[in-house]
Amino acid sequence: MSTTEPPRPTTVEIQTETAGGAVDTSVLRRRNFDERLTNDDLAPLKEQKWNWYNIFAFWMADVHSVGGYVTAGSLFALGLASWQVLICLIVGILIVQVFANLVARPSQQAGVPYPVVARLAFG
């Protein structure tokens, strides 16, 4: 049995080309990273910018789901009035938003996507 040494961390600067041929330097690779544990999708960004479209897309993905529609339908089936269903859905959406923000906080502070932060739980 031969023992193999794990790969040594290296420093790499990555520049990607966009469709128009321009060089995109928004992806920042950390120094001393393991090549097997990172790629362009998981590397932190130099600058994080959220515009109206990003917030709208997050809201659409968060609110408009099969679970939300099933919940609304179930509340109507229980005999609640439409204003009561609306209040229940707004309260539920706010609860989900609070927990989504709590889960996203480490990712936002470190500048890395959630899957990278989630790796911490598994060692």
Side-chain angles (χ1 to χ4, degrees), residues 48-57:
Q48 298 178 18
K49 296 181 188 176
W50 276 57
N51 58 17
W52 68 271
Y53 177 76
N54 299 115
I55 295 170
F56 178 73

Side-chain angles (χ1 to χ4, degrees), residues 1 3 8 14 18 21 23-24 31 33 36 49-50 54 56 64-66 71 77 80 91 93 96 115:
M1 263 183 126
T3 59
R8 303 187 82 206
I14 301 294
T18 61
V23 176
D24 179 18
R31 285 173 268 176
F33 67 91
R36 297 174 301 167
K49 296 181 188 176
W50 276 57
N54 299 115
F56 178 73
H64 296 286
S65 64
V66 173
T71 302
L80 292 172
V91 169
I93 289 167
V96 168

Side-chain angles (χ1 to χ4, degrees), residues 69-84:
Y69 292 123
V70 168
T71 302
S74 300
L75 293 174
F76 279 118
L78 288 173
L80 292 172
S82 58
W83 67 271
Q84 292 171 322

Side-chain angles (χ1 to χ4, degrees), residues 22-63:
V23 176
D24 179 18
T25 58
S26 62
V27 176
L28 171 67
R29 292 290 181 114
R30 289 188 306 258
R31 285 173 268 176
N32 300 327
F33 67 91
D34 188 350
E35 195 61 49
R36 297 174 301 167
L37 299 177
T38 189
N39 60 31
D40 289 338
D41 292 331
L42 298 178
L45 299 175
K46 286 183 182 178
E47 191 174 334
Q48 298 178 18
K49 296 181 188 176
W50 276 57
N51 58 17
W52 68 271
Y53 177 76
N54 299 115
I55 295 170
F56 178 73
F58 178 74
W59 177 76
M60 290 292 287
D62 187 36
V63 173

Side-chain angles (χ1 to χ4, degrees), residues 92-108:
I93 289 167
L94 290 175
I95 290 170
V96 168
Q97 182 180 8
V98 167
F99 283 112
N101 288 333
L102 287 175
V103 168
R105 187 173 183 142
S107 296
Q108 189 67 28

